[in-house]
Amino acid sequence: MSDDCIFCKIIEGKIPCAKVYDAGGIFAFLDIAPVNKGHALVVPRAHHATLFDLSPDMGRELLTALKTVGQAVMQATGAAGLNVGMNNYEAAGQLVHHAHFHLVPRHAGDGLSLWTQHAYESTEEMQKLAKAIKAAIG
Ligand code: 5GP
Ligand code: ZN
């Protein structure tokens, strides 16, 4: 629990929300400003800032929640697709510093375009970057 965290306050019931899931260490509610209606946030109860602060031990119940809530969101909204997203750090658009996953229901032709893609300068540049990432993994 972090005193100045809006999601901790929502999870503790101090701020109202449209709750859709509450099991074990995972809580989910509807985003107040949805990309599409039914847009849900899946949030570990414990206050951790980003993906990198979450324990791998949480993986099973997190994936269970993402699948359960994701499927229910699709069913309830009649969506044909679902985007799962997570913003980590402000440079990636993270506004609330309590780790959370976005579940955004998608409809054919809804006009959303999430990513702008680019090309590498060369295959060499791409391979060099892959090598650096592999080295960082160790
Ligand atoms: P982020 O940019 O940090 O990944 O996303 C934070 C999300 O939380 C935003 O999509 C925003 O609309 C949502 N949000 C912020 N404050 C509240 C709130 O008080 N209630 C609800 N339900 N959602 C919120
Ligand atoms: Zn928090």
Side-chain angles (χ1 to χ4, degrees):
M1 162 72 186
S2 168
D3 285 342
D4 55 359
C5 173
I6 193 152
F7 284 1
C8 281
K9 286 180 184 148
I10 286 174
I11 290 163
E12 291 206 340
K14 291 177 182 160
I15 293 177
C17 74
K19 180 166 94 174
V20 296
Y21 183 89
D22 189 0
I26 313 290
F27 193 91
F29 53 96
L30 296 188
D31 193 305
I32 203 164
V35 172
N36 276 333
K37 288 176 185 173
H39 176 173
L41 300 172
V42 172
V43 187
R45 282 182 152 272
H47 182 89
H48 298 292
T50 73
L51 173 69
F52 306 105
D53 303 304
L54 299 179
S55 166
D57 293 342
M58 188 184 283
R60 190 178 182 85
E61 64 178 1
L62 187 54
L63 189 55
T64 299
L66 290 170
K67 289 179 66 172
T68 303
V69 179
Q71 207 154 42
V73 164
M74 285 185 70
Q75 197 177 314
T77 60
L82 182 83
N83 288 118
V84 181
M86 185 183 202
N87 301 324
N88 292 286
Y89 305 113
E90 284 175 14
Q94 186 176 10
L95 299 172
V96 177
H97 298 280
H98 180 136
H100 56 279
F101 296 79
H102 295 257
L103 297 181
V104 179
R106 297 296 306 274
H107 307 275
D110 65 13
L112 288 178
S113 174
L114 297 184
W115 308 107
T116 307
Q117 290 181 275
H118 305 282
Y120 284 99
E121 297 295 327
S122 62
T123 308
E124 288 71 34
E125 186 198 14
M126 190 176 170
Q127 290 296 348
K128 198 175 157 198
L129 197 51
K131 207 172 156 188
I133 293 168
K134 279 188 271 182
I137 291 170

